Amino acid sequence: MARSHRPKATIADVAQAAGVSRGTVSRYLNGGRWVSEESAKAVREAVDKTGYVASSTARALRTGRSGTVAFLVDEEPAAFFGDPTFETLVASVSDALAAQDMSMVVLLAGNAEQARRAVEFLGSGAVAGVVTASVHSTHGTLEKILDQGMPVVNCGYPRTMADRVSYVMGDEAMGGRVMAEHLRGCGATRMGVIAGPADSPGGTLRLDAFRQVAGELLPESSIRFGDYTREAGRRLTAELLDHDPRIDALFAASDVMAAGALETAQERGIDVPGRLLVGGFDDSTAATAAQPPLTTIRQPFDRIAAELVSVLLREITDGYRAAVTVPVELVERESTGTAS
């Protein structure tokens, strides 16, 4: 006869038994910060009642002897593995954590089921904190993580959540301004922009700053929003050039989209940079591999990663929330007629 096994109690079970939120339970299990004595007593009794047992990893995190951090990316696997920016950022954050004798797990939450599982895992107490990147509003993932009381730092400006979450960002506005100034200086007379998603810094901060400098050289009808993929760069470049063949400068809010723009230009026999100037953003491997190599905005990912880890560890230890902006710089290459 098969033995029956009682399912392991979860944080949700403890929260229900204690009559408190999952966030309160998570905060109690991670050291008790911001938990009243009354709630702490209820949680302790609920832990005994439900038989909840935290993982050895979680216990180690609370004692400070070791730690694991989650890196959560709100993208589908294809987008994650297809963008070299993520690879660079993940590797840099992993290295910065290793310097603190900490480990990292990567979670993808690009669809509803992935997001649900990620939030459930993070609520289990298995990690000390979370680095989030490319978080969109579709599934409310960031809000759900914060509601659990989990220490979080976001890579990039979190728009409507900036008053609730720590973040570290490259200077998006600086990048947009510098690129627009560069294209104007290279003789552009009519510009187009392929911005990032409308709920991302690449679709707002970079675009707004670029637009302020470009002024009348950038008609509103020559702005498109893409999803940071090469296909979006190809398709939207074709759309912009069909809409206005006079466009002689194009700014894409990622190197991957800019590389797609170069492919469309090549297919149409448009010389870059002779007929069309193209600029990207990030200074990823996509910029150096492109033909011609891309002028772009360099984000210093090593420094950004170090700041992400520093901010997160401080939030884990004392609940301190911070916002850090890191300067970016223009890297000139052949796609605008210059080389670094």
Side-chain angles (χ1 to χ4, degrees):
M1 184 179 200
R3 294 180 181 178
S4 62
H5 296 277
R6 180 182 178 184
K8 290 183 178 180
T10 65
I11 280 183
D13 297 327
V14 175
Q16 183 176 10
V20 299
S21 69
R22 285 182 294 179
T24 297
V25 176
S26 182
R27 287 193 295 273
Y28 172 80
L29 294 173
N30 284 284
R33 294 188 304 276
W34 312 302
V35 179
S36 69
E37 181 53 39
E38 180 182 359
S39 294
K41 181 175 182 292
V43 173
R44 284 194 296 271
E45 292 175 351
V47 167
D48 291 339
K49 178 180 178 181
T50 61
Y52 174 81
V53 178
S55 68
S56 58
T57 300
R59 287 195 297 271
L61 293 173
R62 292 196 294 278
T63 62
R65 289 191 296 271
S66 65
T68 301
V69 165
F71 191 110
L72 184 144
V73 180
D74 196 0
E75 297 288 352
E76 294 276 11
F80 175 77
F81 291 108
D83 190 336
T85 301
F86 288 130
E87 178 183 356
T88 300
L89 186 58
V90 167
S92 297
V93 171
S94 180
D95 289 344
L97 285 167
Q100 301 294 326
D101 196 26
M102 300 184 76
S103 301
M104 186 179 78
V105 295
V106 177
L107 304 175
L108 300 184
N111 60 46
E113 179 58 21
Q114 290 173 347
R116 183 193 65 76
R117 290 200 304 267
V119 171
E120 184 176 288
F121 171 77
L122 295 173
S124 72
V127 297
V130 189
V131 176
T132 54
S134 194
V135 176
H136 304 295
S137 58
T138 309
H139 308 299
T141 307
L142 184 55
E143 292 92 331
K144 292 172 184 176
I145 296 170
L146 289 170
D147 288 345
Q148 292 179 339
M150 177 68 63
V152 179
V153 58
N154 188 66
C155 182
Y157 184 69
R159 298 182 73 237
T160 59
M161 303 293 291
D163 60 338
R164 293 189 60 191
V165 63
S166 295
Y167 62 90
V168 177
M169 60 181 283
D171 195 330
E172 311 278 1
M174 176 184 178
R177 288 194 303 270
V178 169
M179 181 58 74
E181 290 166 357
H182 175 69
L183 294 177
R184 290 194 74 142
C186 289
T189 61
R190 197 164 184 87
M191 302 185 188
V193 170
I194 302 175
D199 63 348
S200 74
T204 53
L205 300 180
R206 297 174 195 175
L207 170 61
D208 290 346
F210 185 95
R211 181 163 37 199
Q212 289 174 4
V213 174
E216 74 285 354
L217 302 186
L218 176 63
E220 287 297 311
S221 60
S222 293
I223 297 172
R224 299 292 186 274
F225 295 89
D227 60 2
Y228 296 127
T229 63
R230 189 178 294 260
E231 174 54 33
R234 286 195 294 261
R235 174 174 51 82
L236 295 175
T237 297
E239 188 176 308
L240 284 171
L241 294 175
D242 288 342
H243 167 74
D244 187 353
R246 295 173 296 171
I247 290 175
D248 58 8
L250 185 64
F251 169 49
S254 79
D255 293 336
V256 173
M257 289 197 296
L262 290 177
E263 292 177 0
T264 292
Q266 184 178 28
E267 289 169 0
R268 295 187 173 207
I270 297 174
D271 180 60
V272 176
R275 165 65 182 82
L276 180 68
L277 306 171
V278 179
F281 205 104
D282 291 327
D283 196 27
S284 65
T285 55
T288 52
Q291 290 299 321
L294 279 166
T295 290
T296 187
I297 299 297
R298 174 177 292 158
Q299 297 205 71
F301 288 114
D302 286 347
R303 180 176 173 187
I304 289 172
E307 294 286 359
L308 284 166
V309 171
S310 176
V311 169
L312 182 61
L313 293 184
R314 185 168 183 185
E315 184 158 335
I316 289 170
T317 55
D318 64 16
Y320 181 80
R321 201 162 61 232
V324 178
T325 300
V326 177
V328 298
E329 63 176 314
L330 178 73
V331 178
E332 299 180 29
R333 297 192 179 98
E334 286 87 341
S335 71
T336 59
T338 55
S340 58

